[in-house]
Each structure stands twice: as C-alpha cells, then as structure tokens.
C-alpha cells in the first residue's frame, strides 16, 4: 500500500504534461472558433478538417519523439547520435509531405481520397502547403520536450506549448481584427506558433537540459530505428482513421461538391474530436510517466496509473 500513497512526485511531474494536452488541443478549438467568425465559417471548418486529416498521419510519427529522446539519450554522445536520427526522420517525413502538397500527383492523390469539388480541393492543397514545415518544426519541439522530461523539467514543456498557444491566439485575433483572408490567417496560425516553440525549445536545450559527457555504449542507428518504427506505425494507424471517416462523410454527401449536410457533419466532428482528444492526450501522457519512473519506482507508477485512469474516467462521465 506504500505505492498508493507515495505518488506525489509523479503527480508533480505529470501535472504540467496534462496542461500540455489541454494547451495543444485548445489551439485547434481556437482555430475552429476563429473560422466561425469568417464568412462561410462552417464550410471553412469542414475544408480545414479535411486538410488536417491528411496532415495528421504524416505528422503522427514525430509524436513519439519525446519517448525517443527520453529513453535513448543518456549523455551528450547519445544526443549526437539520436539527434541526427531525429533530424533525418523529420527531413524524410517533410519531403514526403512536401511532395504531397506541392506536386501535381500529390493533388491527384488528395482528390482521389475525398469526393469533393475542385474548389474545395484547391483549398485543401492551400492548407497543406502551409502545413509543410510543421512536421519538421513539431519534431524538433517533441525531441527537446523528451529531454526536458528526462530532467524532470515538465514545467518548461508546458511553457513551450503555452508560448505556442499565445502566439496562435494573437495571430487569429490579428486576422479577425484586420479582416484578413480566412485561409491565410489559419495557415499562419499553423506555422508561426510552432516556430516560436522551436526557438524557445532550442533555448531550453542549451540552458535547461544538463546531460553527462558520456552515454550508452555505442548505440547504433539500427537500434534507434528498431525502437522507433513500431511506435510510429502504431500512432500512424490510429490517425489514419480520420481521413477514412471524413471520406465516408464526403461520399454520403453530394458527389459534385461539399453539401450543406457534409459541411455541418465535418464541422461537428472537428469540434467533437477536439474535445474528446483532450482526455485521450491526457491518458497518452502516461507513456512519458512510464519511461521516466517505471523502472526505478514500479509500484508507485502502477498506483499513479490507476489513480489517473479512474480520475479521468469519472471526469469524462461527469462532462458527458
């Protein structure tokens, strides 16, 4: 029973990560709210939802970068090796996504994925082009976040996301105030917040992450890849459900364009998923808790997991 009582340190570690989950998904809710204040807001949300469902499977692989850096980096030598792997992975994913967003064959692939008009397809491609650098930027932020977690500086992790959210809100407010084009405002709000988080994250890497000079004994790129690819594949399979669901919605609507019914369903799904994902991301932060505490404090980690799951389940029932 000692483990049930001695979870306060884990809760202090987890608390800022729970805030990260709320901040990260709040950004998407703010974007949807801003789009509603532009002309033809429901249609704008529907189009942005389709674009995001194409983007998320490409971006999802870097969602496990915090566990990659937290688990495999034990010193400065590991930082160099794992850091190069992360840069190569981010670059490779970015090239794939850039080709999807900026080439004719990529446009044809997207057009074949959804039953939509040429105008809507053009809007989706426009959003995807703004999304193009986000894969790389988010990968860097997640990589640094894992190192901050290893140093038990989770407050700085929430600080990165807090700075990103503040930037996003300022961009949206400026766009509404100056009556800018909706697509342009949302595009900037996808890129600029991540760029701010990267700049702050690199500062944290230099000033807040302290690693010993050594590291693991000759960790190889093959070992890193064997650790990484099952995690990346798992989360990519999950995010593939989004474009599949959206495809079914577009097929159910009119084939020549997005109908009013389709717009409303896609917009409702965007808002519903945004709220529901908050709880899922809070549960997902358990993987960071296990990586950090499970080996040395298994009983306390299990007790914390039970406390968290029961607490979030009760909260979901209350909210629902």
């Amino acid at each position: 029973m000692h483990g049930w009582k001695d979870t306060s340190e884990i809760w202090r570690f987890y608390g800022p990560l729970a805030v990260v989950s709320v901040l990260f998904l709040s950004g998407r809710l703010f974007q949807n709210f801003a789009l509603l204040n532009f002309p033809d807001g429901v249609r704008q949300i529907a189009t942005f939802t389709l674009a995001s469902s194409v983007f998320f499977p490409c971006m999802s692989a870097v969602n496990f970068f915090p566990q990659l850096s937290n688990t495999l980096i034990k010193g400065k030598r590991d930082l160099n090796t794992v850091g190069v792997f992360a840069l190569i992975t981010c670059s490779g994913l970015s090239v794939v996504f850039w080709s999807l967003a900026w080439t004719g064959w990529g446009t044809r692939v997207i057009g074949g994925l959804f039953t939509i008009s040429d105008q809507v397809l053009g809007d989706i491609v426009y959003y995807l082009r703004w999304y193009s650098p986000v894969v790389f930027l988010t990968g860097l932020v997640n990589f640094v976040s894992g190192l901050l977690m290893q140093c038990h500086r989770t407050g700085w992790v929430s600080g990165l996301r807090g700075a990103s959210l503040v930037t996003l809100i300022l961009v949206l407010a400026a766009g509404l105030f100056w009556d800018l084009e909706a697509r342009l405002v949302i595009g900037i709000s996808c890129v600029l917040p991540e760029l701010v988080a990267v700049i702050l994250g690199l500062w944290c890497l230099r000033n807040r992450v302290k690693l010993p000079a050594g590291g693991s004994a000759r960790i190889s790129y093959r070992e890193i890849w064997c650790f990484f690819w099952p995690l990346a594949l798992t989360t990519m399979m999950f995010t593939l459900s989004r474009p599949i669901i959206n495809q079914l919605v577009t097929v159910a609507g009119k084939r020549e364009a997005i109908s009013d019914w389709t717009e409303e369903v896609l917009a409702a799904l965007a808002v519903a998923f945004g709220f529901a994902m908050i709880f899922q991301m809070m549960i997902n932060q358990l993987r960071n808790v296990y990586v950090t505490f499970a080996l040395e404090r298994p009983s306390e980690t299990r007790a914390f997991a039970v406390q968290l799951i029961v607490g979030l389940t009760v909260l979901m029932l209350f909210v629902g």
Side-chain angles (χ1 to χ4, degrees):
M1 294 300 292
H2 176 70
W4 287 90
K5 300 178 181 179
D6 193 17
T7 58
S8 58
E9 182 182 351
I10 303 179
W11 276 107
R12 287 194 297 270
F13 174 90
Y14 172 82
L17 299 182
V19 173
V20 168
S21 302
V22 176
L23 292 176
F24 183 80
L25 291 169
S26 294
R28 187 56 184 273
L29 296 176
F30 276 114
Q31 286 175 321
N32 289 335
F33 175 78
L35 284 172
L36 283 175
N37 288 274
F38 286 102
D40 204 11
V42 174
R43 180 184 175 278
Q44 296 285 355
I45 293 177
T47 305
F48 185 50
T49 299
L50 292 176
S52 299
S53 68
V54 176
F55 167 72
F56 284 137
C58 297
M59 196 271 289
S60 62
V62 303
N63 285 344
F64 278 95
F65 270 20
Q67 291 74 47
L68 179 76
S69 57
N70 191 354
T71 303
L72 300 183
I73 296 177
K74 304 302 181 184
K76 293 182 179 179
R77 184 171 56 201
D78 298 335
L79 177 61
N80 294 333
T81 306
V82 181
V84 169
F85 176 87
L87 288 175
I88 293 173
T89 303
C90 285
S91 300
L93 291 170
S94 297
V95 168
V96 172
F97 192 77
W98 274 81
S99 63
L100 189 64
W102 290 91
T103 64
W105 74 264
T107 302
R108 290 191 293 273
V109 169
I110 298 168
L113 182 61
F114 302 116
T115 306
I116 51 177
S117 66
D118 291 339
Q119 179 184 356
V120 175
L121 177 60
D123 289 340
I124 291 174
V125 171
Y126 179 88
Y127 283 126
L128 293 180
R129 289 176 177 176
W130 275 104
Y131 264 136
S132 297
V134 175
V135 176
F136 190 87
L137 296 175
T138 302
L140 294 180
V141 174
N142 289 347
F143 184 83
V144 174
S145 296
L147 293 174
L148 290 169
M149 293 174 197
Q150 186 183 105
C151 300
H152 290 211
R153 294 184 177 271
T154 50
W156 279 100
V157 179
S158 61
L160 296 180
R161 278 299 154 207
S164 176
L165 181 61
V166 170
T167 304
L168 182 145
I169 293 173
L170 291 175
V171 170
L172 297 177
L176 290 170
F177 181 79
W178 281 302
D179 197 24
L180 301 177
E181 182 188 11
R183 299 190 313 172
L184 176 63
V185 174
I186 297 301
I188 295 174
S189 74
C190 291
V191 178
L192 188 58
E194 290 302 299
L195 182 59
V196 170
V198 166
I199 294 172
L200 183 57
L202 293 177
W203 180 88
C204 288
L205 182 61
R206 182 178 179 86
N207 297 280
R208 292 292 180 266
V209 175
K210 305 299 180 183
L211 295 172
S216 303
R218 294 183 180 180
I219 186 171
S220 66
Y221 290 111
R222 184 176 182 276
E223 290 173 317
I224 301 172
W225 172 250
C226 290
F227 174 89
F228 176 71
W229 79 260
L231 302 178
L233 181 62
T234 298
T235 188
M236 288 182 70
M237 293 298 291
F238 171 77
T239 53
L240 281 173
S241 63
R242 294 291 189 88
I244 292 173
I245 292 173
N246 291 339
Q247 160 65 355
L248 294 175
V249 174
T250 59
V251 168
K254 295 181 179 178
R255 290 185 175 273
E256 64 270 14
I258 289 187
S259 65
D260 292 341
W261 176 86
T262 307
E263 291 176 1
E264 293 172 359
V265 172
L266 288 173
L269 285 173
V271 175
F273 271 131
F275 280 108
M277 285 294 291
I278 291 177
F279 294 101
Q280 178 179 333
M281 285 195 68
M282 293 175 75
I283 285 291
N284 284 347
Q285 297 295 352
L286 265 177
R287 58 198 183 203
N288 297 309
V289 172
Y290 277 109
V291 167
T292 306
F293 291 100
L295 187 61
E296 297 181 355
R297 301 173 60 180
S299 61
E300 290 90 339
T301 304
R302 287 193 297 267
F304 171 82
V306 172
Q307 294 168 12
L308 178 65
I309 293 170
V310 171
L312 286 179
T313 301
V314 172
L315 182 60
M316 289 178 66
L317 292 173
F318 177 78
V319 173

